[in-house]
Amino acid sequence: MPGWIAPVLAIIIVAVALAVACLRVIQQYERGVLFRFGKLRPIYGPGLRVVIPVVDKLERVDLRVVTLTIPPQEVITRDNVPARVNAVVLFNIVDPEAAIMQVENYAVATSQIAQTTLRSVLGRADLDTLLAHREDLNNDLREIMEIQTKPWGVDVSVVEIKDVEIPEQMQRAMAKEAEAERERRAKVINARGELQASTELKQAADTLSQSPASLQLRYLQTLLELGADQNSTVVFPLPMDIIGPLINRLAPPERTED
């Protein structure tokens, strides 16, 4: 074998290795931010790209939606109630160049902004708003974060408060308050029912009083209903307007004085 074959093979192998090292595959959901000698070059789209070793530096930016969990934050509401709140943030990169050029680490920066915004917004709300109007608070959080992250090329799409933990003593107080409110509503409903029932009874009594025969039929119907229950003893009051005429006939005539 001639002596020049080995160096040629070595050169070919090195050339192939360098060619392979220069190739980069950028996925469809990624964009490449390229720096050549430290100077920004046009954004690389998806596909096979050539990157010169040592000369070029490629930063990959993922355009997919990122789910960021905010660690539990200790907050004091406007009505001085301590609470422990955690949330989740969904964001994605809309400007890869700004995400690399304007901030050192957009994920960490977005997480810090989310934590400080969460404490700030919830500190201005009372406990009832925090528990019953989360949707409004979520919108406020998203709008504030979007203003701060937009220059970085970060679009915050969703901010959701996941859980709110309050002290056990406060939970017991809220349970007592809810129970008292339910009892108040029950008493009001009962009183309204009594009022409506008395009104209906008065109307029924007025209708029956216009026809004595109707009143007697009603009493007979009540006796029929009681007899259907197989009761051994039935106590049934008779109104005076029914037995009055009978008593008057059986009573002895009054004597007239001479």
Side-chain angles (χ1 to χ4, degrees):
M1 178 182 295
W4 57 270
I5 295 180
V8 171
L9 290 176
I11 293 174
I12 294 175
I13 292 174
V14 172
V16 172
L18 289 176
V20 173
C22 292
L23 299 179
R24 296 288 188 274
V25 176
I26 299 178
Q27 304 295 333
Q28 184 68 37
Y29 55 82
E30 292 180 333
R31 295 297 181 269
V33 181
L34 182 69
F35 295 90
R36 179 163 295 170
F37 292 112
K39 186 177 180 179
L40 181 65
R41 303 292 296 174
I43 300 296
Y44 275 0
L48 184 64
R49 302 297 176 180
V50 176
V51 178
I52 303 175
V54 182
V55 176
D56 295 340
K57 179 182 179 182
L58 181 67
E59 297 283 350
R60 298 175 182 267
V61 179
D62 197 327
L63 302 183
R64 293 176 294 181
V65 176
V66 179
T67 302
L68 177 63
T69 301
I70 303 176
Q73 302 295 311
E74 300 287 345
V75 299
I76 303 295
T77 60
R78 187 172 60 180
D79 49 353
N80 296 324
V81 177
R84 186 178 177 88
V85 183
N86 59 357
V88 61
V89 177
L90 302 181
F91 69 92
N92 65 295
I93 302 300
V94 295
D95 188 350
E97 181 178 332
I100 298 299
M101 297 293 295
Q102 301 299 328
V103 63
E104 180 181 1
N105 190 321
Y106 60 85
V108 175
T110 303
S111 176
Q112 295 299 319
I113 289 295
Q115 295 178 34
T116 56
T117 304
L118 183 66
R119 290 193 296 267
S120 175
V121 171
L122 299 187
R124 298 195 299 266
D126 53 23
L127 183 60
D128 292 338
T129 303
L130 181 58
L131 296 176
H133 300 86
R134 291 191 184 182
E135 187 65 28
D136 296 336
L137 294 175
N138 292 336
N139 292 333
D140 293 341
L141 289 169
R142 187 189 63 80
E143 291 175 359
I144 295 175
M145 288 187 59
E146 189 175 14
I147 293 174
Q148 300 184 17
T149 59
K150 189 174 182 180
W152 306 338
V154 177
D155 178 44
V156 178
S157 56
V158 176
V159 179
E160 288 287 344
I161 298 175
K162 293 173 57 178
D163 189 22
V164 178
E165 298 179 6
I166 58 177
E168 185 177 356
Q169 183 178 1
M170 182 60 63
Q171 294 181 13
R172 290 196 298 267
M174 294 174 63
K176 291 180 180 178
E177 180 183 0
E179 184 178 359
E181 177 64 19
R182 287 194 296 269
E183 290 181 355
R184 182 189 68 83
R185 293 180 180 177
K187 291 180 180 179
V188 171
I189 293 174
N190 188 24
R192 291 178 179 174
E194 292 291 341
L195 178 60
Q196 294 177 0
S198 62
T199 303
E200 296 293 335
L201 287 174
K202 180 180 180 301
Q203 294 178 358
D206 293 339
T207 303
L208 291 175
S209 64
Q210 296 175 3
S211 176
S214 299
L215 184 60
Q216 295 178 10
L217 291 176
R218 181 58 182 166
Y219 270 96
L220 293 175
Q221 184 180 0
T222 305
L223 283 175
L224 181 62
E225 293 176 356
L226 291 174
D229 293 336
Q230 299 180 357
N231 294 328
S232 58
T233 303
V234 176
V235 179
F236 189 77
L238 290 176
M240 292 301 297
D241 55 355
I242 294 178
I243 64 175
L246 180 61
I247 295 176
N248 292 333
R249 290 184 179 182
L250 297 178
E254 296 181 356
R255 295 181 180 180
T256 58
E257 296 181 356
D258 297 337

